[in-house]
Amino acid sequence: MPKTTKWALPFGALIGLTLALSSSAQVTFTTNPSTSVPTPESILGHQPGDDFYLANYDESREYFHKLAASSNRVKLITVGKTTRGLDWEIAIISSPENLATLGKYKDISRRLADGRGVSAAEAHELARQGKAIVHIDGGLHSSEVAGAQQSINLAYKLVSSQNDPEVDAILNNVILMLWPTLNPDGQNEVVAWYRKNLGTTFEVSPLPDLYQEYVGHDNNRDGYMNNMLESRDVTRTEIEWDPVIFYCHHQTAPFPTRIFVPPFVEPISGNIHPLMARWLNALGTDIAAYLDEHGMPGAVNRVGFDNWYPGFLDFTHIFRNSISFFTETALFRYATPRFYPVDEFPKDQRGLRSEVFYSSPWKGGWWRLRDAVNYMEGASMAVLDTAAKYREELLYNRYQSAADNVIRFTKEPPFAYVVPLEQRDLPEAATLVQKIMINGIEVQQAAKPFHANGREYAPGTWVILMDQPFSPLVKELFEPQHYPDLRETPNSPPKLPYDVTGWTLPMQMGVQVAPVLEPVSQTERASLRRMDQFAAPAGNIDGTGGAFVLSHKSNASFKALNAILDGGGHASFGPMETDTPEGSESGAIFVTGMDRDKIKKVAGDNSLRLKGVASAPKDVVAIKKARVGLYRSWVANIDEGWTRWILENYGFAPVTLRNGDIQAGSLREHFDAIILPDAMPETIRNGFGPGRVPGMYTGGIGEVGAAALREYVRGGGTLITFNNASLFAIDDLGLPVKNGVAGLKDEEFFCSGCLLRVELQDSGASAVWGLPHDPIVMFERGPAFETKDGFRGRILAAYPKEQSPLMSGYLLHPERIQGKAAAVEVQYGNGRVYLLGFRPQWRGQSHGTYKFFFNAIYESQGLSKAGPVKAEAPKVHNEAAVVKPATAGGEDIDEPN
C-alpha cells in the first residue's frame, strides 16, 4: 500500500490534531432520542466508528440484548449456532403494532413469494395490507470491519428516534431483519487480533487465519451449496421470512471511490426475473442519491463487480425473487485512520472530473472507520426509505415474478428435470437433490414408473417440476453456462470476468440429470409425490458370507472405508475386474473382520449397496488407514480450509502441518500422504515477509522444508498438489514436468474458473479407479502440464487434443491447453508426486473429482506401478455428467461431471 507509514495514523499519535481535522459527513442525527433506550456508548464505552475501537460480536450481542429490553420496537430471534458454537441472534425492528402481528405479515410475504393460488386482485390487496420485510446485515467478511459497527448505530437510530418522519415511515411500513453480522465467529477473531496488535508496528497486519472456519472469504461463495452451517442458517431463515430485499455490506470500493453501488457491470444471468434486476438497479441509484443528499460523495456504479456467479450468499436469493445485492464501502485497515492525498489517486482520477457513473468524486483527505460506518448507515437508511415508500409495488412485483415463473415453465422447456436412480454414484445424486431442497425448491419422487423424454424411469426417481416460483434457480444451476465474449470493439481485448464463469452443478458432482422437453401430463404428475423432507436412499447388503465388497465408484465408499478401518475392520483393494453391486470394475473394495450388523449400519449411513461374499480374493492389496498431513500456511488459505473440511467429512482425519512441522523432517515416519492445497509457489516458500506480521507468523517452509519434502517422497511418501501448488513441487523437487501455459498474458490465455472435460489415459490405473472415462474438472487460473526428458510416471488425465475441452463457462484460447496433461503421477525415488492442475475439491462443489485425491491418498500404500508416458490422449467415450437435451422420442444421453 503506497505511503502507508507516512499517512496511516497509529494509535495514540496526534489524536487532538486528527480530531480537529476530522469533519465526517453522516446521516441525520438521531432525533429526540428516547432516554429509556441505552446509547451504544453507555454499554460499549465507545461509539461504534471511533478511531482505534472495534466492538466484537459478544459485545454487540450484549448491546442488542439491552436494546431489546428497553423498547417494544425490537425483538431478538435465534437463527442457530455458528461453527465455533456461538449463539446467533438477529434483531427484528419495526413498529410495536407490526411486531405484535408478525405472524400475519410473514404469512402475507409467504403467499406473495409463492404466488400460486393467489389472483392478481388478491395479490394487490395482500400487498396493500403487507409490510416490506427487509434483510440488512453487517457483512460476511469479518476483516471488512465497518459493517458490524454500523449495525449497532442503525439499530439505535431506529429504536431510539422519536417523532422523526423518516424513521416513523420506516417503522410503520418495513419490518427490518437486522443481522448484526453474518459471521459472528470471525468478528470475534478479527477484533481480538486488532486489539492484540493495537499500538504496535503490527497494528494493521493481516490476520494469519481464516476468519470463518474452513472458508474465510469464501463464506460468500457458498450461497447455493450451503455447505457451511452459517450458510444454511441464513438460507433457512430467508426462506422462512421471505424478505423482499436482501442487502449485504462489504468493503472495499475501487480506489479512490468511496462506495460501489449497483448497477453492476455486464453480464447478468437471463434467469433473473427482469423486475428483480430493475429494482436492484433502482436501489443502487437511490443509495447514491441519498448519500449525495447527506454530504457523502464518492458513490460509483458499474465498475469492477459483476453478478454472473449465483453462488454469492448475498445474491443467490435473487433467484427466489428477493432483490439481493451488496455494496462495497472504502476501507483502510480495521479502525486505524489514513490520509489520502490526491497525488496518490490513479492519474486519470486526479482531475476529480465528474463521470456518468461517478458524478460526485471524492476529493481525498482523511478516511476513518467513522466515515465508512456513516456511509453504510446512510446506504441502509436509503434502502429502508425506498422500501417504506414503495412497499406495495415491491410486494406486488415479487408476486408477479413468482407467478411469471410458474406460467413460463408451463409454456417453455425445460418443463422438469429428472434425476434418475441409474447413476454412477447414487449417493451423490441424492446429495444434489438435498442441496436443491435446502434452497427452497420442491422435489417430487415417482411412486410408480414415470415417463418422460420417450423413456420410463423407475419408481423412486426424483423429478423437479419447473412450474414453481423459484424454478429459475434450478435452471441456473443445472444448465451449462455460456459466458458472453464482451469487448469494447471487435478488435479490442475481451473484458475479463470477476469470478468463475461456469458451475453447472450436475457436471461438477458427476450426476446425470435430464431436462424434460415436453409438458408433463396430468397422468404423469399423478404418479409423483412431493418430498416434504429429504430422505437419503437406503443402504443394504445382498448375499451371504463373511466378506463384503463395495464399489469404488461412489465417494461415499471412502467415507465407509475410513469408518470401517476406524472401527477395527480390515479392507483391501482388488486390482482385478470384480463384480460389485454397481457392476464389474477394477478397484473394488473388500471388507473383512467386522460383523454384518456393523457393516449394515455403515452401508445405511452412507446409502451404499454392499454384497456379501465367502472371502476376499487372494490377490487383493491390503490397506490400512491412511495417515494424511495437510499443509496450512500462516497466509490464510481458503483452499486449505475447503480441503480440511472435505477430508474431515469423509473421515480422513487430516493432521495440520505448519511450516515448522515440515521443516522438522522425519515426515515419512508419520504420514503416508501429504497434501499441498492450491497456493502460489512463492507463498509456500516464503509466506509473510519480515515486518508484515508478528515474527511467529513469518516465513514459509523455505529450503529446509523443501528438502524435508524431497526426503519424504524419496523415502516412499506421497505428495499431492492442487492447482498452482503443483508448480512449487515441479520447481523445488526438480520434477521433469513444465507448465505449458506459463508466461502467457491474459489476452493469450485466460480462465477465471470454468468446467473442462479431461480424458483418462489409462482407466485401469489405480490412481483413477472409480472415475468415469472423461470427468469434468474445475479449472481456475491453473497450470497445464507437459513432460520433459527423464520423466518417470504416468499421465493420468489430459485435455482433448482435437477439440475445446470447455463444457461450461468462459475459456479464452482453449487451444493453449488442448492435448496437455491435467493430472500427472510422477515417480520420485521410492515415492510419488501427484500434480493436479485444477482444483479437485473446488468450494466443496466438484464432488465428481474428489476421487483424484482420495485415490492418491491410498496410493501411498504402494498400489501404483510406474506406467509409460503416452504421447497422445486417446479419444474416449464421454461418460461424465453434463446436462444435455434428451433426443426427441429417444433415450437420454449420459451426462458429465
Side-chain angles (χ1 to χ4, degrees):
M1 179 175 312
K3 303 185 182 179
T4 299
T5 304
K6 179 178 179 181
W7 293 104
L9 183 69
F11 175 72
L14 303 176
I15 293 295
L17 173 61
T18 58
L19 289 176
L21 291 172
S22 177
S23 56
S24 301
Q26 64 178 52
V27 294
T28 306
F29 285 107
T30 301
T31 302
N32 300 322
S34 170
T35 57
S36 65
V37 175
T39 65
E41 299 99 311
S42 69
I43 305 301
L44 304 172
H46 290 269
Q47 172 71 26
D50 283 353
D51 289 349
F52 311 110
Y53 171 76
L54 293 171
N56 65 26
Y57 173 73
D58 295 330
E59 293 160 346
S60 171
R61 183 166 172 256
E62 179 188 3
Y63 177 72
F64 274 92
H65 274 262
K66 297 288 179 61
L67 196 67
S70 72
S71 173
N72 57 4
R73 293 183 182 180
V74 57
K75 176 182 180 180
L76 299 184
I77 64 170
T78 299
V79 295
K81 281 188 176 291
T82 67
T83 299
R84 295 173 183 167
L86 294 178
D87 290 321
W88 196 358
E89 294 175 320
I90 69 172
I92 309 299
I93 299 175
S94 191
S95 70
E97 295 77 16
N98 292 343
L99 293 181
T101 52
L102 268 179
K104 168 187 173 182
Y105 295 119
K106 286 176 66 177
D107 184 63
I108 289 174
S109 290
R110 178 192 59 78
R111 294 183 65 191
L112 291 173
D114 185 276
R116 291 171 294 188
V118 178
S119 69
E122 290 170 329
H124 274 299
E125 179 58 23
L126 287 171
R128 188 188 65 79
Q129 296 177 19
K131 307 297 178 184
I133 299 178
V134 175
H135 165 119
I136 296 179
D137 63 65
L140 278 153
H141 298 148
S142 297
S143 57
E144 301 165 8
V145 297
Q149 308 303 304
Q150 76 88 33
S151 298
I152 299 170
N153 289 352
L154 179 65
Y156 175 70
K157 180 181 180 68
L158 294 174
V159 173
S160 179
S161 292
Q162 306 295 313
N163 302 316
D164 182 326
E166 180 184 33
V167 170
D168 289 346
I170 290 169
L171 294 173
N172 289 333
N173 291 281
V174 174
I175 296 171
L176 171 62
M177 302 172 65
L178 181 58
W179 299 65
T181 175
L182 291 183
N183 186 7
D185 292 341
Q187 185 180 351
N188 276 352
E189 185 174 16
V190 166
V191 172
W193 175 254
Y194 181 61
R195 290 177 179 176
K196 176 182 178 181
N197 295 311
L198 190 61
T200 75
T201 56
F202 303 111
E203 181 171 302
V204 296
S205 64
L207 177 73
D209 192 21
L210 296 171
Y211 48 70
Q212 180 164 323
E213 192 69 30
Y214 301 116
V215 294
H217 196 87
D218 261 8
N219 60 5
N220 197 29
R221 304 298 189 273
D222 194 35
Y224 56 75
M225 285 301 283
N226 292 287
N227 285 317
M228 295 297 110
L229 178 62
E230 288 85 350
S231 305
R232 295 195 294 276
D233 286 343
V234 171
T235 298
R236 185 191 65 252
T237 306
E238 299 310 306
I239 291 172
E240 176 189 347
W241 285 77
D242 291 306
V244 70
I245 296 172
F246 184 111
Y247 175 27
C248 180
H249 285 283
H250 285 265
Q251 294 177 282
T252 185
F255 187 72
T257 71
R258 296 296 87 189
I259 182 171
F260 164 82
V261 298
F264 294 88
V265 299
E266 301 293 347
I268 66 169
S269 168
N271 293 318
I272 299 171
H273 193 282
L275 284 170
M276 298 298 101
R278 297 291 188 189
W279 271 113
L280 188 157
N281 294 339
L283 284 167
T285 302
D286 287 350
I287 291 171
Y290 190 99
L291 294 175
D292 283 338
E293 178 186 348
H294 290 82
M296 289 180 272
V300 67
N301 317 87
R302 289 183 60 83
V303 294
F305 302 100
D306 68 45
N307 253 349
W308 176 253
Y309 176 59
F312 300 122
L313 185 62
D314 52 23
F315 186 59
T316 308
H317 316 283
I318 203 164
F319 297 95
R320 290 188 282 266
N321 309 314
S322 178
I323 306 157
S324 305
F325 68 101
F326 62 88
T327 57
E328 298 269 356
T329 304
L331 167 71
F332 173 50
R333 294 286 187 275
Y334 309 112
T336 298
R338 190 190 192 280
F339 188 84
Y340 293 94
V342 173
D343 63 11
E344 285 191 6
F345 288 15
K347 287 184 178 180
D348 62 349
Q349 297 284 343
R350 293 176 189 171
L352 307 179
R353 178 174 58 86
S354 296
E355 302 173 10
V356 172
F357 297 112
Y358 185 45
S359 55
S360 58
W362 186 58
K363 297 179 181 179
W366 282 106
W367 187 255
R368 343 179 80 84
L369 177 63
R370 166 76 59 228
D371 297 306
V373 168
N374 287 343
Y375 272 65
M376 288 181 169
E377 187 181 344
S380 295
M381 289 296 294
V383 169
L384 294 170
D385 180 67
T386 300
K389 290 176 178 175
Y390 297 99
R391 168 181 57 83
E392 286 192 43
E393 290 90 334
L394 288 164
L395 292 173
Y396 184 75
N397 285 170
R398 188 171 195 196
Y399 158 79
Q400 283 184 292
S401 300
D404 287 351
N405 291 337
V406 172
I407 293 171
R408 172 188 173 187
F409 291 108
T410 62
K411 297 180 178 180
E412 64 180 63
F415 297 97
Y417 284 97
V418 175
V419 184
L421 298 179
E422 298 81 12
Q423 299 282 346
R424 186 179 189 88
D425 188 344
L426 181 61
E428 287 297 351
T431 298
L432 174 63
V433 169
Q434 183 181 31
K435 297 294 184 183
I436 290 299
M437 292 182 68
I438 289 171
N439 277 288
I441 302 299
E442 297 170 1
V443 178
Q444 317 279 332
Q445 258 189 313
K448 56 184 181 180
F450 176 77
H451 300 86
N453 297 329
R455 62 162 287 186
E456 180 177 287
Y457 293 94
T461 293
W462 295 287
V463 179
I464 304 167
L465 299 172
M466 290 292 283
D467 52 349
Q468 55 179 296
F470 305 157
S471 54
L473 179 58
V474 183
K475 190 168 183 286
E476 181 76 6
L477 298 181
F478 281 16
E479 68 183 2
Q481 281 69 55
H482 302 285
Y483 190 89
D485 188 34
L486 302 173
R487 303 171 188 258
E488 292 288 348
T489 68
N491 296 321
S492 63
K495 295 181 178 180
L496 300 178
Y498 169 66
D499 206 279
V500 298
T501 58
W503 50 81
T504 310
L505 211 46
M507 290 186 188
Q508 288 199 73
M509 297 183 70
V511 176
Q512 296 180 31
V513 173
V516 176
L517 305 181
E518 297 180 354
V520 180
S521 69
Q522 290 301 318
T523 300
E524 295 303 326
R525 286 174 180 262
S527 71
L528 303 176
R529 300 292 181 268
R530 179 177 169 180
M531 297 174 65
D532 293 324
Q533 289 185 326
F534 172 76
N540 60 63
I541 302 175
D542 294 326
T544 59
F548 306 91
V549 60
L550 69 157
S551 171
H552 205 108
K553 295 177 182 178
S554 175
N555 288 338
S557 294
F558 284 89
K559 192 172 184 179
L561 171 63
N562 287 327
I564 289 165
L565 293 173
D566 286 339
H570 304 290
S572 54
F573 289 150
M576 75 300 290
E577 283 286 319
T578 302
D579 286 332
T580 77
E582 309 304 328
S584 180
E585 62 183 83
S586 300
I589 302 171
F590 290 88
V591 178
T592 58
M594 185 172 280
D595 66 55
R596 191 180 185 92
D597 287 343
K598 290 183 178 179
I599 293 292
K600 186 175 181 179
K601 183 179 187 309
V602 171
D605 290 345
N606 295 283
S607 298
L608 291 171
R609 297 191 301 167
L610 282 74
K611 183 171 73 171
V613 295
S615 62
K618 293 182 179 180
D619 50 356
V620 296
V621 179
I623 58 171
K624 61 181 180 180
K625 178 70 178 290
R627 302 169 301 168
V628 183
L630 177 63
Y631 174 59
R632 187 174 182 180
S633 169
W634 288 118
V635 179
N637 185 348
I638 294 169
D639 204 62
E640 178 277 330
W642 279 118
T643 307
R644 178 160 40 95
W645 178 76
I646 292 166
L647 292 175
E648 289 177 2
N649 274 284
Y650 279 86
F652 284 96
V655 175
T656 290
L657 294 174
R658 294 289 190 180
N659 297 325
D661 299 318
I662 291 180
Q663 292 166 345
S666 301
L667 296 168
R668 188 69 186 96
E669 298 175 14
H670 305 288
F671 301 103
D672 301 303
I674 291 175
I675 298 175
L676 300 182
D678 182 28
M680 297 307 294
E682 184 69 14
T683 301
I684 298 172
R685 290 188 198 105
N686 299 324
F688 285 122
R692 185 90 191 278
V693 291
M696 67 177 293
Y697 304 112
T698 59
I701 71 168
E703 173 53 30
V704 173
L709 288 174
R710 290 192 289 268
E711 176 188 39
Y712 165 74
V713 181
R714 286 194 185 107
T718 293
L719 183 65
I720 305 166
T721 61
F722 294 171
N723 212 37
N724 289 300
S726 300
L727 304 178
F728 166 82
I730 290 171
D731 293 343
D732 287 53
L733 275 69
L735 304 180
V737 179
K738 70 175 184 178
N739 177 14
V741 295
L744 295 178
K745 299 177 181 177
D746 284 349
E747 58 266 29
E748 296 173 316
F749 176 76
F750 182 83
C751 179
S752 63
C754 68
L755 301 180
L756 305 182
R757 182 173 68 89
V758 300
E759 297 171 337
L760 299 187
Q761 303 301 284
D762 182 359
S763 295
S766 53
V768 295
W769 280 341
L771 287 163
H773 290 299
D774 46 359
I776 290 178
V777 303
M778 171 57 77
F779 185 91
E780 185 180 29
R781 307 175 194 269
F785 305 117
E786 297 175 352
T787 60
K788 301 194 296 188
D789 290 343
F791 175 81
R792 293 173 54 246
R794 177 184 281 111
I795 295 176
L796 300 174
Y799 298 104
K801 187 176 179 63
E802 304 299 331
Q803 62 184 27
S804 170
L806 181 64
M807 300 301 290
S808 182
Y810 178 76
L811 178 65
L812 184 63
H813 291 300
E815 69 278 4
R816 299 287 190 181
I817 61 170
Q818 287 176 208
K820 292 182 171 59
V824 179
E825 176 188 272
V826 185
Q827 300 296 318
Y828 188 87
N830 293 321
R832 58 185 63 78
V833 180
Y834 288 92
L835 308 175
L836 305 181
F838 49 90
R839 292 180 62 184
Q841 68 337 358
W842 182 78
R843 293 176 180 169
Q845 299 184 27
S846 52
H847 296 216
T849 51
Y850 284 1
K851 281 186 282 289
F852 273 107
F853 62 100
F854 286 180
N855 281 335
I857 288 171
Y858 274 105
E859 285 288 284
S860 61
Q861 301 184 31
L863 289 166
S864 180
K865 302 291 186 276
V869 180
K870 298 189 176 180
E872 288 190 13
K875 293 187 172 79
V876 188
H877 169 66
N878 182 9
E879 190 185 60
V882 66
V883 181
K884 295 181 180 177
T887 52
E891 300 241 328
D892 291 333
I893 302 170
D894 283 352
E895 304 155 5
N897 177 24

